[in-house]
Amino acid sequence: MDGYKYMTIVEWSKNYISSKNLHPNDRFLSENELCSIHGVSRQTVRQALKCLESEDIICRVRGSGTFVKKSTATIAEKNSAVRNVGVISTYFSDYIFPQIVTGIEGVLNKAGIAMQMAITHNQVLEESEALKTMIANGVQGLIIEPSKSALPNPNTELYQEIKKRNLPIVFFNAKYPWADFPYTAMNDELAGKVATDYLFECGHTRISGIFALDDIQGHKRYSGFMKSCIEHNIRSAEKDVLWFATGDKSELFHFARKKLLALLSESTAVVCYNDELAIKLLRFCRENNINVPNDVSVIGIDDSKISVLCDVALTTVRHPHQLLGITAAEMLLQQMEYPHQNVEDVIYMPELKIRESVKRI
């Protein structure tokens, strides 16, 4: 529980400096005093002090103590002049994430709102640190892509604390099942079904799937895959699914090589969790003398830029990309402007993009 008091101590310290009318170079409370006042560990206090130091509110001098560096009146004046929003994404540098963030940034810029960006690498600990830092930095709202959204999350109490502060949040791409916040995403279950239905339409009946086990999108896309198989009376579909953890996708084609080869030998088509995985599968097939689409057809989801840059242009299901970012930002602005008004979820319908990686049989 100490970790969740980190941002409370930061805000309490700012109020303390203001209420005591402390000025630059005045002595601030020691670590021991803060531990005693708040009943928390020294590690939690050090996290709070580190944040206050990064904001230039205090400075620590070895052997002398902690001192006020900037009055809270100066901080308040600065914060009131600039509105800012925190954006937390699992990744950024590649795939569809830059387009989503571009959509968010365009809306915020037009509204005169600055954007703070953090990347979690799909790690819940990094998500926790990003949330705490942004709240301590005084963001007026948060746009978040959840990390490992299909698994139990240790940050639930932190999100409850944020809700108590009436800080608006919008999730994108997915949201935690327990989270009472609006979100925008593609209909991932329908995306999985559209992809699988198309393979059946092309004459395939031996269809396998590869899905992420730790993200809600993976579960929903699997659900769509299974619904299509059941509708087409395929009773063995569950046995033809390979699950992977998103953090292991780069190693999947090494440690599961034999299982993948066995799966491909029994299938004429594969539904992949997303384009990134599908491209890796195309490379794996080429390295093992498996021709796509003649030996096996491959279909992805997301319609990323890389889907047309590979040896065989990828048939895929289109994700809304930049539009999703625009929608997330507009939903957040709506909450910020009308805090007592309910904001509805916005779910986009998938669209099939037919290219060369699927063969009719």
Side-chain angles (χ1 to χ4, degrees), residues 9 60 87 100 352:
I9 297 171
R60 288 182 282 181
V87 177
I100 296 172
L352 186 68

Side-chain angles (χ1 to χ4, degrees), residues 159-330:
Y159 278 105
Q160 289 170 2
E161 177 68 23
I162 293 170
K163 187 173 183 180
K164 288 179 184 177
R165 295 167 183 265
N166 296 316
L167 188 68
I169 290 179
V170 171
F171 285 112
F172 70 92
N173 274 340
K175 78 170 181 178
Y176 299 113
W178 44 262
D180 187 21
F181 300 101
Y183 84 116
T184 181
M186 176 175 68
N187 187 324
D188 286 295
E189 182 175 80
L190 187 56
K193 189 173 188 305
V194 165
T196 314
D197 282 347
Y198 178 66
L199 293 176
F200 280 114
E201 181 188 323
C202 290
H204 298 273
T205 55
R206 294 184 295 148
I207 303 172
S208 56
I210 307 176
F211 300 101
L213 60 84
D214 50 355
D215 284 343
I216 285 290
Q217 297 100 306
H219 289 213
K220 289 184 175 181
R221 293 172 184 184
Y222 160 78
S223 178
F225 166 84
M226 285 299 301
K227 282 187 175 182
S228 179
C229 289
I230 291 170
E231 286 179 6
H232 289 86
N233 298 314
I234 305 299
R235 302 180 62 86
S236 62
E238 285 181 275
K239 300 176 183 178
D240 299 325
V241 171
L242 178 63
W243 291 95
F244 71 98
T246 50
D248 296 334
K249 61 179 177 288
S250 296
E251 290 77 29
L252 172 66
F253 295 93
H254 298 291
F255 67 69
R257 183 176 182 274
K258 288 184 179 179
K259 191 168 184 177
L260 275 166
L261 288 172
L263 198 67
L264 292 171
S265 69
E266 297 169 359
S267 309
T268 62
V270 184
V271 177
C272 292
Y273 165 65
N274 63 10
D275 290 355
E276 186 179 20
L277 181 73
I279 300 302
K280 292 180 184 296
L281 181 61
L282 292 179
R283 188 181 304 121
F284 178 84
C285 287
R286 185 176 67 249
E287 291 170 353
N288 289 276
N289 298 315
I290 301 170
N291 182 272
V292 176
N294 292 326
D295 295 331
V296 65
S297 292
V298 175
I299 189 166
I301 297 175
D302 286 338
D303 191 28
S304 63
K305 289 183 178 179
I306 59 174
S307 65
V308 293
L309 300 177
C310 41
D311 293 341
V312 182
L314 189 66
T315 295
T316 183
V317 179
R318 179 163 173 74
H319 181 284
H321 298 171
Q322 188 169 342
L323 178 59
L324 193 78
I326 291 171
T327 302
E330 289 176 343

Side-chain angles (χ1 to χ4, degrees), residues 74-132:
T74 305
I75 299 295
E77 183 180 346
K78 180 181 177 182
N79 287 342
S80 64
V82 179
R83 292 196 299 167
N84 63 101
V85 160
V87 177
I88 300 175
S89 178
T90 55
Y91 301 99
F92 175 71
S93 61
D94 54 11
Y95 203 52
I96 63 175
F97 302 102
Q99 294 164 278
I100 296 172
V101 173
T102 296
I104 294 171
E105 190 172 24
V107 173
L108 295 181
N109 283 345
K110 190 175 180 180
I113 297 176
M115 184 179 81
Q116 297 182 34
M117 184 82 190
I119 308 301
T120 67
H121 305 98
N122 209 29
Q123 299 294 310
V124 293
L125 179 59
E126 292 189 42
E127 177 184 275
S128 172
E129 293 303 317
L131 286 168
K132 293 173 185 177

